[in-house]
Amino acid sequence: MKKIVVSVAFALIGVQGAQAGKRIVVDLTHQQACAYQDGDRLFCGDISTGKPGHRTPSGHFRVLEKELRHVSSRYPEPHGGARMDYMLRLTNYGVAMHLGYVPNYPASHGCIRMENGFAQRMFAWANVGTPVVVRGTPPRYVDRPGPRRVARRAVSRKSRTVGNFEGNRPLKFLSSVPGKRESLVSKRDKKELRHSKKKKEVITENRKPMTPLGMLKS
């Protein structure tokens, strides 16, 4: 019995020692979370926290539970069912870190959504009992460099381009694009112009001058 108690005690000491240097810091202002080990920052990732009316609480927490495939019992209301994979529970009233959609603004119902790739890494690194510090003030919008910003600009360019289509004629749009397509469109236009000129010339050659008798017959 004493051996079992001693082994359990050493196991608990080992777990506490492994977690002693780990810490997660959630920055609401910059919508970013970072993992720290013995004071050194290991990695960070973009997040999306609670939107107005469902703000993520700030303060000091600990990871209470880890669940790889979690399904919400609350959202969407009233019956739940939303997937929250790679879940790290922080409170007993529904606040957790999990994989989810991460736009450039706070959009969740209080949870801390982590982007794909970052969520898996944080889930594998954190332990039950790891301290989590949530601090800062959530913004209305955060400007992030990278794919989301490029995608937003691409969409705006696309909307302006579609608006420039006239009479649903894509060839007219292609003719304004420099390069090979421009030359193809111009050659086609020249070919159609030459064809129309030849057709007019044939009609003119086949037409005979009208005589008074011919006018009477017609």
Side-chain angles (χ1 to χ4, degrees):
M1 185 67 181
K2 291 183 179 180
K3 291 182 179 180
I4 296 175
V5 173
V6 171
S7 61
V8 171
F10 275 109
L12 291 175
I13 292 172
V15 171
Q16 291 176 356
Q19 295 177 1
K22 289 188 175 183
R23 184 167 61 113
I24 300 173
V25 177
V26 177
D27 187 343
L28 299 176
T29 304
H30 298 95
Q31 293 291 283
Q32 190 178 65
C34 295
Y36 288 83
Q37 180 84 45
D38 297 326
D40 297 326
R41 188 171 64 181
L42 300 182
F43 57 90
C44 296
D46 294 335
I47 60 172
S48 179
T49 58
K51 60 186 177 181
H54 300 274
R55 291 300 191 191
T56 301
S58 58
H60 294 263
F61 307 90
R62 286 185 180 274
V63 177
L64 302 179
E65 180 189 0
K66 292 178 62 174
E67 190 173 351
L68 182 63
R69 298 284 182 259
H70 179 71
V71 178
S72 175
S73 59
R74 182 176 180 183
Y75 295 105
E77 295 178 322
H79 304 298
R83 290 187 59 179
M84 297 179 177
D85 295 341
Y86 304 99
M87 187 271 292
L88 303 172
R89 186 183 300 280
L90 303 185
T91 70
N92 290 319
Y93 51 87
V95 178
M97 302 177 69
H98 62 82
L99 175 67
Y101 173 56
V102 180
N104 288 350
Y105 52 89
S108 77
H109 286 87
C111 285
I112 301 168
R113 297 179 186 171
M114 297 180 286
E115 61 181 354
N116 190 27
F118 175 61
Q120 290 87 333
R121 189 175 183 185
M122 183 66 80
F123 183 85
W125 176 82
N127 303 109
V128 173
T130 299
V132 180
V133 179
V134 181
R135 62 193 184 192
T137 304
R140 293 183 58 186
Y141 174 83
V142 57
D143 192 10
R144 294 187 178 117
R148 277 182 290 270
R149 188 173 183 180
V150 173
R152 186 168 65 253
R153 290 179 177 176
V155 169
S156 62
R157 284 199 299 268
K158 183 178 179 181
S159 61
R160 290 195 296 268
T161 303
V162 172
N164 290 333
F165 280 174
E166 296 182 10
N168 197 23
R169 294 178 60 190
L171 285 178
K172 187 166 186 178
F173 167 71
L174 290 177
S175 64
S176 64
V177 179
K180 190 174 181 180
R181 288 182 176 179
E182 182 179 0
S183 62
L184 290 175
V185 173
S186 60
K187 286 180 182 179
R188 180 173 178 177
D189 292 341
K190 290 177 182 180
K191 186 176 180 179
E192 290 179 355
L193 183 62
R194 287 196 300 268
H195 180 70
S196 61
K197 286 183 178 180
K198 288 181 180 179
K199 188 174 180 180
K200 289 180 180 179
E201 291 174 0
V202 170
I203 293 174
T204 305
E205 290 175 0
N206 293 335
R207 185 178 297 172
K208 295 181 179 180
M210 294 291 290
T211 61
L213 184 58
M215 293 175 65
L216 289 174
K217 287 182 179 180
S218 62

